[in-house]
Amino acid sequence: MAYNLLKGKKGIIFGALDEKSIAWKTAQRCYAEGAELVLTNAPIAMRMGAINQLAEEVNAPVIPADVTSMEDIENLFAKTKEHFGSGVDFILHSIGMSINVRKGVPYPENNYEFTHKGFDISALSLHRVLQVARKQDAINEWGSVVALTYIAAQRVFPDYNDMADNKAVLESIARNFGYFYGVEKKVRVNTISQSPTRTTAGSGVKGFDGFINYAEKMSPLGNASADQCADYCVTLFSDLTRMVTMQNLFHDGGFSFTGVTKAVIEQMEKE
Ligand code: NAI
């Protein structure tokens, strides 16, 4: 069901890789709520081609940008302004990558070249996007920026590896930039801390099946799906959440505040 919550709003969606991506679902939901979109992803990810299918579906141009390149991001915002003839009202940052995770290098043995690259893509990219947007005055007053994160920023999940550090910094950037952008232009910046979700990035984490089943059992409402995450993003892009900024918002079926559940105790009693 659509409520026209984003009627007349314009936004940029980073990170739709395939139809499992949280960004993909969010683009579909934003479009259904009346938003006009620009889609972007790393040129290498776009070579796989699926994004064009989404672009057609949501009637949006695709502008490639590697988030580690200032030049690409500057070009993205300039072209987006040209396309809309105005600034944007919302941005979804749905980007994450760790080479240490990909190559199975355990946290205590991290290769720092891999760490730097992953940090650049997964955390610093939010700062870069906000810095360029601010310089080009590319976000309208009361605009909303959302980045996706995971609770490994606060608690240890050993196989989440250096992504835990990346997410901790990402959440900090949202808070700190949120201050400056809020004071200057009433732009709000938040992170959504999502349940484990079966996507390309998610499934790359070692032991993901055990991980997602455990979270399901440890959450009173069960794990939040990618579609439900998309719904939550829509609310944050809408005018109904105008005074929410600099927050890390858990979207996890209650996982973050649950000590233990009956389901987990029953499982332990079997051992
Ligand atoms: P995904 O693999 O579909 O999306 C990750 C995206 O990052 C891809 O579209 C990829 O092309 C993009 N990306 C990687 N390097 C890039 C670069 N240099 N420049 C531009 N884009 C680049 O996976 P998913 O799960 O939809 O991930 C989206 C966000 O959600 C990530 O921040 C992830 O950490 C976060 N998240 C995911 C959870 C999960 O269990 N899947 C749980 C909590 C948060």
Side-chain angles (χ1 to χ4, degrees):
M1 198 160 115
Y3 308 87
N4 262 337
L5 283 175
L6 303 182
K7 195 161 187 265
K9 293 201 186 290
K10 299 167 180 22
I12 303 178
I13 306 273
F14 287 81
L17 179 67
D18 56 33
E19 54 191 20
K20 289 190 281 237
S21 300
I22 296 168
W24 187 288
K25 312 268 192 203
T26 307
Q28 288 175 320
R29 280 296 282 124
C30 289
Y31 180 70
E33 291 296 335
E36 286 175 67
L37 302 174
V38 162
L39 303 176
T40 182
N41 209 327
I44 189 160
M46 291 179 25
R47 248 174 263 145
M48 291 151 152
I51 200 170
N52 293 325
Q53 191 188 315
L54 176 67
E56 207 169 296
E57 188 185 322
V58 302
N59 194 23
V62 182
I63 304 172
D66 179 330
V67 287
T68 62
S69 156
M70 275 307 259
E71 208 185 321
D72 280 13
I73 297 176
E74 281 161 4
N75 176 63
L76 166 69
F77 277 106
K79 290 245 169 76
T80 300
K81 215 171 207 183
E82 244 173 67
H83 172 70
F84 287 137
S86 71
V88 298
D89 304 293
F90 64 89
I91 294 175
L92 177 71
H93 176 290
S94 184
I95 299 160
M97 208 276 299
S98 158
I99 308 179
N100 285 307
V101 168
R102 251 200 217 168
K103 302 218 174 199
V105 184
Y107 184 81
E109 292 162 31
N110 275 183
N111 168 317
Y112 300 130
E113 257 177 55
F114 297 170
T115 306
H116 273 292
K117 183 84 186 154
F119 173 72
D120 206 7
I121 293 175
S122 310
L124 206 55
S125 58
L126 178 63
H127 197 286
R128 218 179 263 117
V129 163
L130 288 165
Q131 181 174 130
V132 173
R134 181 174 165 272
K135 249 189 215 147
Q136 295 191 15
D137 195 15
I139 308 180
N140 299 331
E141 268 205 2
W142 295 107
S144 172
V145 179
V146 169
L148 293 173
T149 186
Y150 183 58
I151 193 173
Q154 287 82 28
R155 308 220 199 128
V156 176
F157 292 80
D159 290 327
Y160 204 66
N161 211 318
D162 58 337
M163 277 304 284
D165 299 335
N166 294 337
K167 291 304 193 192
V169 176
L170 181 82
E171 291 173 17
S172 176
I173 291 172
R175 204 161 37 241
N176 283 285
F177 223 116
Y179 168 81
F180 289 96
Y181 227 151
V183 168
E184 285 175 15
K185 214 161 171 211
K186 303 207 175 340
V187 168
R188 53 203 207 267
V189 187
N190 295 288
T191 50
I192 295 179
S193 188
Q194 163 68 7
S195 295
T197 315
R198 280 186 208 284
T199 61
T200 304
S203 321
V205 176
K206 204 170 113 202
F208 187 76
D209 284 340
F211 202 51
I212 197 168
N213 291 340
Y214 170 72
E216 173 78 20
K217 284 200 162 55
M218 271 292 285
S219 309
L221 301 180
N223 287 331
S225 69
D227 282 306
Q228 288 162 335
C229 187
D231 285 343
Y232 195 31
C233 289
V234 166
T235 66
L236 286 171
F237 295 151
S238 82
D239 289 336
L240 300 180
T241 50
R242 278 183 154 202
M243 295 308 280
V244 182
T245 193
M246 300 158 65
Q247 302 298 310
N248 179 44
L249 304 159
F250 289 103
H251 183 254
D252 62 0
F255 177 87
S256 43
F257 280 78
T258 302
V260 76
T261 57
K262 265 192 156 169
V264 169
I265 290 175
E266 277 162 20
Q267 188 68 31
M268 296 308 291
E269 278 171 347
K270 284 185 202 151
E271 288 179 9

